Amino acid sequence: MAFGRRKKTKAEETAGAAAENASATAADTADADAGSDAVQAPAAGGPYDLSERPSEEGYVDLGALRIAASQGLQLRLEVEEKTQRVVAVTLDLEGSSLQLQAFAAPRSETLWDDIREQIGKSVGSQGGTVDELSGTFGTELLARVPAQAQDGSKGYRVARFVGVDGPRWFLRGVFGGPAAMNPDAAGPLEEVFRNVVVVRGEQPLPPRDLLQLRLPRDASPLPRADKGAAKPAAPERGPEITTIG
């Protein structure tokens, strides 16, 4: 598995903003909630909870997420410029991308319904549109965000949002490139998403808090971001980093 670097797209940033801006009222139902109606593990076929796939063999360990190694798969990490905290991982394969983020969730409440609504509002505020579809991983969103092509013409950037509610965690994926709309192109990255293992941990966290990601154990030290790079406005994510594994 190789590590690389690419500029982050507006569509990828949308989900992070939507998740962090979601209503804080759900915090009252955080891990202290010990109700019997706990959210069950995802359906067979993944993504998986650590209890279902505890072995690290064949996986790249990123802390809260474990990614199955695959031929040609490139992994990129995103950090907040101020804190240098890793906040997302993006996987590139065969010309398409998949951004992953994992969040804490209540024991007895799902998050995907609310987060879909937040994504729709965020995309709409940018002049884009969202279609709700039934897809491989249940209810999905197909977002079209206005974008300018290299030749200056106006067009749209398309992103496909998927979400999985697990036991005390929520995993969000954003497919970009051909995988956003072409089922054949999406197949390889869907298989990667299906094999993701979420490591929730036992630490009490408010719902929608990002689960902690980190560099692989054998990765090189983080390079500093270019001083000349523009700083994104909150709650957008910071610049990506490059490391060789």
Side-chain angles (χ1 to χ4, degrees), residues 28-119:
D28 293 334
T29 60
D31 295 303
D33 180 2
S36 59
D37 297 325
V39 176
Q40 298 300 309
Y48 298 95
D49 183 70
L50 178 62
S51 62
E52 299 174 295
R53 287 200 173 180
S55 174
E56 295 182 25
E57 185 176 355
Y59 281 84
V60 177
D61 188 351
L62 302 175
L65 295 176
R66 292 180 183 173
I67 310 298
S70 177
Q71 183 67 32
L73 187 66
Q74 295 182 331
L75 183 152
R76 297 178 287 110
L77 301 174
E78 300 175 24
V79 299
E80 286 179 332
E81 187 173 7
K82 182 177 180 180
T83 66
Q84 290 296 292
R85 179 181 63 151
V86 181
V87 294
V89 56
T90 299
L91 307 170
D92 294 306
L93 183 63
E94 300 179 2
S96 295
S97 65
L98 170 62
Q99 187 200 59
L100 297 172
Q101 285 182 302
F103 302 86
R107 292 182 183 275
S108 58
E109 180 183 344
T110 60
L111 299 182
W112 185 216
D113 289 345
D114 288 341
I115 290 177
R116 287 203 312 273
E117 182 178 354
Q118 294 293 325
I119 292 172

Side-chain angles (χ1 to χ4, degrees), residues 124-183:
S125 70
Q126 300 174 50
T129 61
V130 169
D131 293 319
E132 190 166 288
L133 308 171
S134 178
T136 305
F137 301 99
T139 303
E140 305 178 356
L141 293 181
L142 190 65
R144 296 174 176 84
V145 180
Q148 185 170 319
Q150 292 182 350
D151 62 3
S153 61
K154 294 182 179 180
Y156 286 89
R157 182 173 289 112
V158 180
R160 172 189 167 201
F161 293 83
V162 300
V164 175
D165 288 292
R168 299 173 59 240
W169 52 259
F170 169 76
L171 178 65
R172 191 227 64 206
V174 185
F175 290 87
M181 297 187 68
N182 185 327

Side-chain angles (χ1 to χ4, degrees), residues 9-10 77 85 97 102-103 115 121 128 163 166 197 207-208 213 244:
T9 67
K10 191 69 177 179
L77 301 174
R85 179 181 63 151
S97 65
F103 302 86
I115 290 177
K121 290 179 179 179
V197 175
R208 297 177 175 83
L213 294 167
I244 303 299

